Amino acid sequence: MAWTDTWIGMRWRERARGPKVYDCLGLYLALLHHRLGIGLPDPAARRAHAPRAVAALAPSFSRVDAAREGDALLFRERPGRLHVGYALTASDMLHVHHEGQGSCIDRYTSPRWSSRLEGIYRPHA
C-alpha cells in the first residue's frame, strides 16, 4: 500500500481540518506535517479568506520553477478564490476540491489544472 492510499477519499468542507474532512489548505498543511515534518501556522484558523491566508503564509515559501514532493501548487479559481494542491511529483498532486468526489491524485500538468496554475511554492524547512 502506498502512503497516499490513506489520504485518498477525504471529503471536502470549507475550513475543515481533518481527520477525515478537509478543505484544500487543511489537507495541504496536514500532508506537509505528516510527510515532511513541517508545521506551519494555519491562517484559516482565524477565519481568514483565501487571499489573506496566502498573504499570511507567503513568508514561509519561495517560488520555484519545478515541483518536488511537498511543494504547494497554487491555482486561480473564480475571483477571490484560490486552490492549493500538494505536489507528489513533477506532474502529480494530491488535493481535495469542492467540486470533487473527495481527495484524489490528479495531474496538475493536465489542461484542466495547468491553465490555472498561478505558481509552485516550496516551503522553508
Side-chain angles (χ1 to χ4, degrees):
M1 177 168 95
W3 73 264
T4 55
D5 291 351
T6 59
W7 295 91
I8 301 296
M10 305 287 180
R11 293 175 311 163
W12 179 90
R13 188 174 67 230
E14 192 165 350
R15 293 191 182 96
R17 294 298 183 258
K20 297 289 182 190
V21 181
Y22 291 92
D23 69 4
C24 63
L25 179 59
L27 183 62
Y28 176 80
L29 293 173
L31 288 167
L32 192 63
H33 185 262
H34 174 78
R35 289 292 295 168
L36 303 178
I38 298 173
L40 295 177
D42 183 356
R46 294 172 291 176
R47 303 183 58 86
H49 297 292
R52 284 193 221 139
V54 170
L57 286 172
S60 300
F61 291 83
S62 297
R63 190 178 181 121
V64 295
D65 293 326
R68 67 179 188 208
E69 185 184 338
D71 288 347
L73 305 164
L74 195 61
F75 301 92
R76 291 178 303 278
E77 297 253 284
R78 62 184 184 261
R81 189 172 183 97
L82 299 168
H83 178 64
V84 65
Y86 179 91
L88 296 171
T89 67
S91 61
D92 294 325
M93 68 175 169
L94 179 55
H95 70 123
V96 63
H97 195 263
H98 67 280
E99 295 175 359
Q101 300 273 318
S103 58
C104 62
I105 296 174
D106 266 333
R107 285 202 170 281
Y108 66 86
T109 55
S110 72
R112 175 183 183 203
W113 293 107
S114 65
S115 64
R116 297 187 280 168
L117 183 64
E118 187 282 324
I120 303 168
Y121 298 88
R122 184 152 302 142
H124 302 155

